[in-house]
Amino acid sequence: MDGQNFNTEVQNSNQTNVLAIVSLVAGIVSIIGACCFTWLGIIAGIAGIICAVFANKQGKTGLAKAGMICSIVGLALCVILIIAALVLGVGLGLADMASY
């Protein structure tokens, strides 16, 4: 085993899966987007899950797993905030209607 082959093997084993990075970034955007723009959080969460699934098919990495978790948390946060907005909106709307 000469030095050139060893360096090539090390470089190939350290390659990062781009889809895993994209899924992690989309998951983080999903969590942040859930608080500011719910539709952005939903879109980024779905994109993050899709990228994480494809990244896991290419080879399981910690980044893909983290991207999947962040995307799921972001989507769950979006759903919770939408339900809370609907409940509060309906509750406030009915309270205003009763005062007339």
Side-chain angles (χ1 to χ4, degrees):
M1 183 169 198
D2 61 350
Q4 186 178 8
N5 289 338
F6 180 72
N7 289 336
T8 305
E9 291 173 12
V10 169
Q11 288 174 355
N12 288 339
S13 67
N14 288 337
Q15 288 181 346
T16 306
N17 191 344
V18 176
L19 284 174
I21 295 172
V22 170
S23 71
L24 181 61
V25 170
I28 293 170
V29 169
S30 174
I31 292 171
I32 295 170
C35 300
C36 302
F37 305 104
T38 307
W39 56 269
L40 176 67
I42 292 171
I43 293 171
I46 292 171
I49 290 173
I50 291 170
C51 289
V53 167
F54 285 124
N56 277 331
K57 286 183 181 179
Q58 293 177 356
K60 295 191 181 251
T61 62
L63 285 175
K65 190 173 189 178
M68 177 72 81
I69 292 170
C70 287
S71 298
I72 291 171
V73 168
L75 275 176
L77 191 59
C78 287
V79 169
I80 289 169
L81 290 175
I82 288 172
I83 291 172
L86 288 174
V87 168
L88 289 174
V90 168
L92 293 175
L94 291 178
D96 287 341
M97 298 281 272
S99 64
Y100 289 116

